[in-house]
Amino acid sequence: MTSVRITHVSDTYLPLLGGIEAQVSRLAGQQAAAGHEVEVITTTPATPGAHGVSTTVRDGVTVHRIAARVPGGWPIHPRSTAHVTARLRAAIARGERPDVVHLHMGVLAPTAQAALRPVTRLGLPAVLTVHSVWGAAWRLFAAADAVGRWSRLPVRWSAVSELTAEPLRRLVGPGAGGGVADVAILPNGLDLDAWRVPRTERAARPEGSAVHVVSAARFAPRKRMLPLLTAAADAVSRLPAGALFVTLAGDGPERAAARRFVAEHGLRDVVSFPGGSPAPSSSGSTRAPTSSPRPPSPRRSASPRSRHRPRG
């Protein structure tokens, strides 16, 4: 197999924990393990509060960080476009021209979006993947496109699901012959082998014979972890004692509120909070779950969910 030079550009990356961060990290790791030369350029600092430019190599993946001190800790850098361009120019000058630049976008991704034009001007093949449901925010992208015309750049457009692809198709316009815009569906990957654990009979499990419900997600409002807890509390009130056990793995701004809810509703013996952990190490929390639920929501999720799958 011929080795390929791949550069990922993502505003968010580990150690932040979320869908984009986890998927880009795993994708880069799998590519490096397959023998490719992989680099990630990100504006996420290595540790909270860190700033400046740094480069590290871990598990064969070179991670180049451009971090600034920004109120609220957002992974944003005012000169990130210049840094990305300079990094790519330096690689070309060394004779290490990337074979492809893969840019990753959520809702807030100024670095990836601003890097599109300089990447294409350098003549580098570019792929852009939308990972998040834009919702009403697609109008902001449309306004930006009306000025910058970035949707007309020579880029291979993709999204993680039909739901995330739909607003992107509106922007990039009709495909050849006036048909549907050519936006590829690139689902989030999952290494099933990394998530498999030995079967444990119910009698030998810490929760005993209880139905074990597991969810892994960021504790953020749009992930609806608090409504999931409300549903769990309702289920507990209707079931015999010891019939249900719930594990909610993850971290985020609503985790403290979730803990308060559990305490106020007397669910400390029912609900476990193991914390956040990059997958697949969190698979230990999902040992032999009976159910892996989707939090109640009036809206569809960004990408399909499957059993033993970490929630982004």
Side-chain angles (χ1 to χ4, degrees):
M1 180 186 66
T2 303
S3 176
V4 177
R5 291 193 183 98
I6 305 166
T7 297
H8 294 277
V9 178
S10 179
D11 294 71
T12 57
Y13 192 69
L14 299 180
L16 293 179
L17 291 178
I20 297 177
E21 299 88 341
Q23 289 297 330
V24 175
S25 171
R26 289 181 219 154
L27 176 58
Q30 290 286 343
Q31 290 169 336
H36 302 300
E37 297 178 36
V38 185
E39 178 178 64
V40 176
I41 303 177
T42 182
T43 49
T44 299
T47 57
H51 66 284
V53 178
S54 65
T55 303
T56 59
V57 180
R58 182 173 180 180
D59 297 329
V61 178
T62 299
V63 180
H64 184 71
R65 299 181 187 271
I66 313 154
R69 286 175 174 162
V70 176
W74 294 97
I76 298 172
H77 195 291
R79 295 184 300 279
S80 60
T81 304
H83 279 283
V84 171
T85 305
R87 183 77 178 175
L88 294 173
R89 286 186 183 277
I92 294 171
R94 293 193 306 269
E96 299 175 358
R97 180 187 186 89
D99 293 297
V100 63
V101 178
H102 192 167
L103 304 104
H104 302 268
M105 281 185 65
V107 176
L108 180 64
T111 300
Q113 187 173 355
L116 273 172
R117 192 173 299 280
V119 166
T120 56
R121 281 179 175 171
L122 289 171
L124 299 172
V127 177
L128 182 139
T129 299
V130 175
H131 292 256
S132 301
V133 177
W134 283 352
W138 84 270
R139 293 182 177 85
L140 299 177
F141 289 103
D145 184 50
V147 176
R149 307 296 289 174
W150 56 267
S151 68
R152 300 296 177 260
L153 296 173
V155 174
R156 184 63 170 109
W157 307 104
S158 65
V160 298
S161 69
E162 288 291 345
L163 181 60
T164 54
E166 190 268 336
L168 183 59
R169 288 193 176 111
R170 292 187 220 167
L171 290 180
V172 301
V180 177
D182 186 13
V183 176
I185 304 301
L186 186 66
N188 290 334
L190 182 63
D191 181 0
L192 294 178
D193 289 337
W195 283 88
R196 288 194 176 98
V197 295
R199 177 179 174 81
T200 305
E201 297 301 328
R202 287 197 174 190
R205 299 175 192 172
E207 68 276 13
S209 61
V211 172
H212 189 181
V213 175
V214 176
S215 181
R218 276 181 292 126
F219 282 76
R222 71 187 187 92
K223 299 301 180 179
R224 299 183 61 80
M225 295 295 271
L226 293 179
L228 177 58
L229 272 176
T230 300
D234 180 64
V236 168
S237 70
R238 299 165 183 261
L239 295 171
L244 179 67
F245 188 78
V246 179
T247 297
L248 301 181
D251 205 348
E254 285 193 339
R255 189 163 182 246
R259 284 185 170 278
R260 286 196 299 271
F261 181 95
V262 167
E264 291 168 1
H265 290 78
L267 299 174
R268 284 176 173 163
D269 293 334
V270 176
V271 180
S272 170
F273 295 98
S277 176
S281 61
S282 60
S283 61
S285 300
T286 61
R287 182 174 298 276
T290 310
S291 176
S292 187
R294 178 181 301 174
S297 172
R299 299 174 58 187
R300 293 172 290 172
S301 64
S303 59
R305 311 290 177 120
S306 63
R307 190 176 174 184
H308 295 278
R309 182 172 188 161
R311 304 299 197 259

